[in-house]
Amino acid sequence: MKIAVLPGDGIGTEIVAEAVKVLGALDLKFEMETALVGGAAYEAYGHPLPEATLKLAKAADAVLFGAVGDWKYDKLERSLRPEQAILGLRKNLGLFANFRPAICYEQLVDASSLKPELVAGLDILIIRELTGDIYFGQPRGRRIATDGHFPGTEEAFDTMRYSRPEIERIAHVAFQAARKRSKRVTSVDKANVLETFQFWKDVVTEVGEQYPDVQLDHMYVDNAAMQLVRAPKKFDVVVTGNIFGDILSDEAAMLTGSIGMLPSASLNSSNQGLYEPSHGSAPDIAGKGIANPLATILSAAMMLRFSLKQPEAAQRIEVAVQSVLTQGLRTADIFSPGATRVNTQEMGAAVVKAL
Ligand code: NAD
């Protein structure tokens, strides 16, 4: 079981260290190798995704990723910015399916910004297509407009596009995931306005015919954004394109209390995967030792389940996380009066102890 460990920037190094400790406490043998990525790699090698890092990631069964980015790199040309490393890894490893479970732990119901009765027991799975859509579509760029409202002025443009095979494969992933849950899929689109998403809706509907045991419904993205805060428990598996999924999954994150709790998995067709917390590098708290490592630790659990085929070890970690929450241990982001405040390392150590 080969794991490429890419901590990245900001709190990335702090939280990945705790996840590595937790993996080390299992009675399993891993080959772990660490490499620089993001701003840290740019500083050392002049590129956010150096050849050696990409090679290590490709050769591994799974990548454990922290986070990349810092405001100080915002002035770099786009191809050298830390965030390009994630896009590069997704593209080079063919990681087209992003799984983001949003689970509201009973112990953290009060940390959500929504009323407890709306989020208690929440367990939804957002499946976001990750390698297509407007984030990758060509052509894109800046030019002088020849038509539109202001011809002769500067404009910028991106291209939203999806091919049939891209939609089919993510739809299959969603229907198969739903079969292991409550057999309901909501496909989110903007078919009323966008050609790309009318096509998305048509293709998902066709694929759905192969899964008569799974109930499929469709929702426009604006309505989905509203329903997620109105009645989030009505959803089970949500499948959507890259840009809508990016936004909706962060919205869903906040239902659960803190983005510091949410793991994610990005998989390719051979189950090789990149596992990372849903949050970024949090430059505002980096170096303070107060970041919540649980999203990264839970991402390591997803890695054990999906790519390394160790479901029992995955479950042990998940149970250990529940146990530290039940003990009342909280990092600052999920703290509430009456709980015991712990720092990043203490939270990691508590999970190891619970294991
Ligand atoms: P962010 O997720 O880093 O932070 C948003 C807020 O949540 C901040 O207040 C932060 O302190 C808090 N937060 C995030 N993770 C936390 C944790 N584990 N524990 C406690 N609090 C936590 O998003 P941002 O501030 O918009 O972006 C910061 C940098 O991260 C940017 O450079 C951005 O491009 C990058 N980014 C990277 C990724 C990634 O590596 N996958 C994802 C999103 C953003």
Side-chain angles (χ1 to χ4, degrees):
M1 291 187 280
K2 264 197 204 164
I3 305 172
V5 181
L6 310 183
D9 306 319
I11 60 168
T13 48
E14 303 163 37
I15 53 184
V16 167
E18 300 313 309
V20 167
K21 261 195 236 161
V22 169
L23 287 171
L26 297 166
D27 39 13
L28 292 171
K29 282 251 175 306
F30 304 107
E31 230 180 87
M32 290 199 231
E33 203 174 321
T34 303
L36 296 179
V37 73
Y42 173 76
E43 302 285 350
Y45 306 110
H47 197 279
L49 183 58
E51 216 25 69
T53 302
L54 182 58
K55 202 170 152 205
L56 179 73
K58 278 184 169 170
D61 299 307
V63 178
L64 183 62
F65 192 92
V68 292
D70 192 295
W71 317 125
K72 71 181 175 189
Y73 301 114
D74 283 357
K75 289 206 167 63
L76 286 176
E77 70 170 84
R78 189 164 298 280
S79 66
L80 294 178
R81 290 195 203 157
E83 293 80 4
Q84 292 301 311
I86 312 174
L87 297 181
L89 283 165
R90 284 176 190 164
K91 199 170 166 189
N92 279 284
L93 274 67
L95 305 170
F96 71 92
N98 182 236
F99 287 68
R100 283 221 208 168
I103 296 173
C104 185
Y105 291 98
E106 197 191 309
Q107 302 90 333
L108 295 182
V109 159
D110 292 329
S112 172
S113 42
L114 293 195
K115 291 183 196 129
E117 62 269 28
L118 285 184
V119 292
L122 179 80
D123 180 358
I124 61 185
L125 174 62
I126 298 194
I127 298 184
R128 163 186 170 197
E129 199 289 331
L130 209 53
T131 53
D133 207 348
I134 198 163
Y135 290 176
F136 288 94
Q138 293 290 345
R140 60 193 288 163
R142 291 187 187 205
R143 63 187 173 195
I144 300 298
T146 53
D147 53 11
H149 294 301
F150 296 99
T153 61
E154 218 186 342
E155 68 173 8
F157 62 102
D158 298 275
T159 303
M160 178 175 270
R161 62 194 288 179
Y162 265 122
S163 64
R164 173 175 282 276
E166 280 175 300
I167 304 170
E168 284 176 349
R169 65 181 180 178
I170 195 74
H172 281 293
V173 166
F175 286 113
Q176 281 162 21
R179 275 190 169 158
K180 296 185 191 143
R181 299 169 53 99
S182 68
K183 299 195 170 62
R184 282 185 299 120
V185 170
T186 303
S187 171
V188 173
D189 62 55
K190 189 72 185 168
N192 48 345
V193 182
L194 298 169
E195 205 56 51
T196 313
F197 274 90
Q198 180 61 57
F199 184 51
W200 170 282
K201 186 174 179 179
D202 295 344
V203 175
V204 172
T205 305
E206 276 175 44
V207 173
E209 285 163 11
Q210 297 173 44
Y211 298 85
D213 53 322
V214 179
Q215 183 197 319
L216 168 66
D217 49 30
H218 303 272
M219 197 178 276
Y220 296 140
V221 63
D222 40 351
N223 187 22
M226 189 171 75
Q227 297 304 330
L228 264 178
V229 286
R230 200 180 76 91
K233 285 191 271 184
K234 287 206 174 138
F235 292 101
D236 187 43
V237 173
V238 175
V239 64
T240 189
N242 206 343
I243 187 167
F244 299 156
D246 191 1
I247 300 164
L248 292 182
S249 56
D250 266 25
E251 188 188 355
M254 279 322 293
L255 303 177
T256 70
S258 168
I259 200 162
M261 290 299 302
L262 286 194
S264 84
S266 305
L267 297 174
N268 67 17
S269 43
S270 34
N271 271 335
Q272 189 190 19
L274 182 143
Y275 298 84
E276 59 174 333
S278 296
H279 57 75
S281 55
D284 54 336
I285 57 165
K288 296 185 179 162
I290 57 169
N292 186 347
L294 293 180
T296 316
I297 291 170
L298 291 166
S299 301
M302 287 183 92
M303 173 175 81
L304 288 162
R305 179 170 289 116
F306 288 123
S307 289
L308 304 180
K309 305 287 173 233
Q310 300 290 336
E312 281 160 26
Q315 203 186 359
R316 278 190 66 200
I317 293 180
E318 288 157 358
V319 170
V321 166
Q322 293 259 17
S323 152
V324 299
L325 293 175
T326 304
Q327 290 163 38
L329 304 184
R330 303 281 187 274
T331 42
D333 57 308
I334 50 173
F335 183 77
S336 57
T340 308
R341 192 187 290 258
V342 292
N343 65 26
T344 310
Q345 293 192 354
E346 287 163 343
M347 186 57 107
V351 175
V352 168
K353 191 163 170 233
L355 272 179

